Amino acid sequence: MRAAATPAAGALSPTARLAALPRRHVFAGARIPQSTHAHTGRRPAARRCARTAPPSAQLAAPEVAAAEEASRGRVDWFGTWWPVAFVRDIPDKEPYSFKLLDQPIVIWRDQQGTYRCFYDACPHRLVPLSDGRITPDGKLECPYHGWQFKGCGTCTSMPQGGDPSAPRSSATAFQCAVKQDMVWVKLQPAPADGSEPDTSGIRIIPELEEEGWFAFGDMWRDIPYDWATLIENVIDAGHVPFTHHGSVSKRQTSGDYDLRVTERGDWGFRGVWEQGPRRGKLGAQHTLWDAPVLMRHTIDSMDKSGFANITAVYGVPMSAGRCRALVRQPFKFKNKLIPLLFKVLPEWRSHLGNNSVLDEDVIFLHMQASGYQEREAALRGMGDKPAGQVYYMPAASDAYVAGFRAWLNKTAGGGPWGPMDDRYLLRAGRRLPEKQLLDHYHSHTERCSICRPALRNLRVARAAAAAVGIAAAAVAAVSLFVQYVAPAAAAAPAAAGQAAARQVTAAAAAASPAGCPPLVALAAACAAVAAVAGLVWRWCHRTIPQFYTGERPFARNRVPGEFAPQI
């Protein structure tokens, strides 16, 4: 069991940390000023009148930061290691931008192959360093005036003049490390000597360090709902047969969801579902909320079905109402040949499938007919009341959601942005249209090292299939024309010409197998090629749009068969 989360040794105090960061962004957990009631929607009138200005409104800026840090509970969000991306998705020769806890950061790889992380603003004129370049000698160069920085943040070059050794010339360097093929960032100052920071707090998956386990289909997606909503969703087993009917489950498999939390603390909680999915066919499912980063479900079905599986989701808070999900699916099989099969399967197919599954949730977790789930929860008082008074959760299937919400309120102060209230809604921004909710390209494909080249290859394959199909069909048509139409058109001239044509046709027929004219055989072969090319073109044409956007209706609405619960 992990002890209660505490700030790392040597961590800055809240006030000092706020002062150390650039002033462009307010500290991740700081609340924005109280919004006007015109923005709060359907909040009851009595509650509107009862609300008073927050105490922080009467404090000076450093006191505000300290007070709000304390109000967010015992989770040190800036002192936590967060996975930002899989190593393979970060270019070797380009900066990689991201927003973590509302702080813009840039990740890049220096000449020694070490991943570095800076606050994404040049100390000179605050231009994003992510728009710059990595120099041949492994430094990060600002795109505006060419200032260059080493991995520890020290400035090494000012082309226009100045003292690179001045303290204010350094970039803000954060701690960065690589574990289990993922790049992790902690928003704490990096070691001044450029050495590797302490990585003991990184939440790895221990099984991946053991023999026989492997991960397949690692993927990520930027999701337009909050970090807390993501964790609440993936920890909830009861929604799977219904929301994901026809994709990863079926309504008919919904069974007894007797979920039990077996131990809990500031570190998170553990739980068990004794029956497990598919009505007990796979055995018990164990769940761990390794706060505040990792949720994992584990099924050990080696004795029953010859395999074990972990569904692990890392939730990364980007900003209010936005998060990144990094999904891993480690497997272990008794049959040693099955892992070899996984090696030849295209991973991009699993990415498309995972995106479709995420689509089935995002469309209503972000947006409903009367608003979206987060807004509805906030308007009903999620920021002020226990979750059990906002949600009606009468069944054991809600045990994990209740456990997560209890941890969030007791230990985490409501989350990285504070309680979910009207101020949170103002920070989260406007609702997004359905097209943006179902977007795959900008939320994943564009920066995925698996899907981006797959999309390019499929577009090339589609164009090649079209060219081959058209060419083959043209050759087939010309062959048939020469074989049958041309001789008939030449029948009008002299009989001698007709006799010569018949002699040529007869000779060709005698020379071809089974008496088939060679041009007819060529036409048949070309027609077969054109048909295959047409099928390839059609498959590519139907697959390519999946890299760009999701589709409605979802699998749950397309597949026949309903589950009728017994009452």
Side-chain angles (χ1 to χ4, degrees):
M1 183 186 302
R2 180 175 294 105
T6 57
L12 297 177
S13 68
T15 304
R17 186 185 306 143
L18 180 65
L21 287 172
R23 287 291 185 178
R24 177 171 169 243
H25 287 265
V26 179
F27 183 76
R31 298 176 180 174
I32 58 175
Q34 174 82 1
S35 62
T36 62
H37 298 308
H39 295 287
T40 61
R42 298 191 304 277
R43 187 176 297 278
R47 189 160 174 244
R48 281 202 307 268
C49 297
R51 292 191 68 99
T52 58
S56 61
Q58 303 172 4
L59 301 176
E63 295 171 316
V64 169
E68 292 180 345
E69 170 81 356
S71 73
R72 292 205 322 281
R74 294 181 290 277
V75 174
D76 185 3
W77 302 95
F78 273 40
T80 297
W81 280 103
W82 301 97
V84 169
F86 293 103
V87 169
R88 68 188 183 190
D89 292 323
I90 296 184
D92 287 339
K93 299 181 180 180
E94 298 176 17
Y96 185 93
S97 63
F98 189 68
K99 179 173 280 191
L100 175 62
L101 289 168
D102 230 4
Q103 306 300 317
I105 61 174
V106 55
I107 297 171
W108 54 287
R109 197 177 185 189
D110 66 16
Q111 194 174 31
Q112 288 71 41
T114 303
Y115 287 91
R116 307 292 187 176
C117 178
F118 287 173
Y119 186 90
D120 195 12
C122 178
H124 178 209
R125 298 272 288 279
L126 307 182
V127 166
L129 292 169
S130 57
D131 283 332
R133 68 173 186 127
I134 302 174
T135 64
D137 61 347
K139 296 182 178 64
L140 185 60
E141 182 180 275
C142 176
Y144 202 13
H145 296 91
W147 286 27
Q148 295 182 4
F149 304 91
K150 294 195 301 184
C152 61
T154 301
C155 182
T156 61
S157 176
M158 294 179 175
Q160 293 76 26
D163 180 11
S165 65
R168 291 189 61 190
S169 68
S170 296
T172 302
F174 295 127
Q175 296 181 25
C176 187
V178 173
K179 289 287 184 182
Q180 290 194 334
D181 300 320
M182 293 190 292
V183 176
W184 300 72
V185 171
K186 181 196 288 188
L187 295 177
Q188 291 284 334
D193 59 0
S195 60
E196 183 176 349
D198 177 16
T199 60
S200 59
I202 290 180
R203 271 71 161 182
I204 64 171
I205 300 175
E207 288 84 348
L208 287 177
E209 308 291 324
E210 301 174 4
E211 184 178 358
W213 283 88
F214 68 96
F216 176 79
D218 290 342
M219 69 90 65
W220 59 271
R221 179 168 169 181
D222 293 336
I223 303 178
Y225 53 72
D226 195 64
W227 163 87
T229 303
L230 170 68
I231 300 301
E232 182 181 279
N233 177 41
V234 297
I235 212 168
D236 172 25
H239 82 284
V240 176
F242 297 92
T243 302
H244 306 300
H245 172 66
S247 53
V248 296
S249 186
K250 291 185 178 180
R251 299 185 186 103
Q252 294 86 344
T253 65
S254 180
D256 180 18
Y257 286 89
D258 185 16
L259 310 182
R260 292 186 297 108
V261 175
T262 57
E263 57 178 314
R264 70 178 76 216
D266 288 353
W267 53 269
F269 65 82
R270 297 181 186 273
V272 63
W273 177 18
E274 293 291 356
Q275 183 188 58
R278 300 187 185 180
R279 294 184 178 271
K281 292 182 179 179
L282 303 178
Q285 176 174 286
H286 296 268
T287 296
L288 168 65
W289 166 231
D290 196 359
V293 181
L294 173 63
M295 189 292 309
R296 51 174 284 175
H297 299 304
T298 305
I299 295 176
D300 187 350
S301 191
M302 294 294 284
D303 294 333
K304 285 190 173 184
S305 304
F307 81 97
N309 168 247
I310 299 170
T311 299
V313 179
Y314 289 94
V316 184
M318 298 171 65
S319 59
R322 302 291 184 273
C323 68
R324 172 169 287 189
L326 291 95
V327 183
R328 310 202 81 168
Q329 291 275 350
F331 290 94
K332 185 178 183 180
F333 293 94
K334 276 188 178 179
N335 189 333
K336 303 302 181 183
L337 296 178
I338 296 180
L340 300 178
L341 177 61
F342 274 83
K343 290 183 178 181
V344 300
L345 294 175
E347 285 194 77
W348 60 266
R349 292 292 301 175
S350 70
H351 286 205
L352 293 183
N354 284 335
N355 270 324
S356 296
V357 171
L358 290 169
D359 287 341
E360 294 166 1
D361 293 310
V362 70
I363 202 70
F364 56 72
L365 290 179
H366 175 86
M367 178 173 66
Q368 297 177 351
S370 61
Y372 51 87
Q373 192 218 27
E374 293 173 356
R375 178 179 177 83
E376 192 68 23
L379 294 179
R380 289 172 182 255
M382 183 66 83
D384 299 322
K385 301 177 182 177
Q389 296 182 23
V390 178
Y391 298 154
Y392 177 54
M393 300 184 288
S397 61
D398 294 312
Y400 293 169
V401 173
F404 169 69
R405 283 291 173 181
W407 172 88
L408 191 66
N409 293 333
K410 177 183 177 182
T411 304
W417 329 112
M420 184 179 287
D421 54 18
D422 53 347
R423 289 163 291 191
Y424 163 82
L425 291 178
L426 187 58
R427 294 188 70 173
R430 62 182 180 83
R431 289 190 311 192
L432 297 179
E434 181 178 302
K435 183 177 181 180
Q436 286 183 259
L437 295 180
L438 300 179
D439 168 69
H440 292 174
Y441 185 77
H442 298 96
S443 67
H444 174 74
T445 304
E446 185 178 28
R447 305 179 83 181
C448 175
S449 62
I450 299 296
C451 292
R452 188 176 61 253
L455 173 61
R456 180 179 63 247
N457 293 339
L458 284 178
R459 295 178 68 175
V460 171
R462 181 175 64 176
V468 169
I470 292 172
V475 171
V478 170
S479 299
L480 293 177
F481 179 85
V482 172
Q483 180 67 47
Y484 294 112
V485 178
Q498 295 176 0
R502 284 195 296 271
Q503 291 175 0
V504 172
T505 302
S512 62
C516 178
L519 291 178
V520 174
L522 176 62
C526 290
V529 170
V532 172
L535 292 175
V536 171
W537 182 92
R538 184 172 181 271
W539 179 78
C540 292
H541 190 68
R542 297 182 64 178
T543 303
I544 286 173
Q546 298 177 43
F547 289 92
Y548 289 95
T549 186
E551 161 184 43
R552 296 189 79 174
F554 301 107
R556 63 173 178 267
N557 301 323
R558 287 195 293 261
V559 179
E562 296 292 333
F563 169 68
Q566 297 180 356
I567 301 177

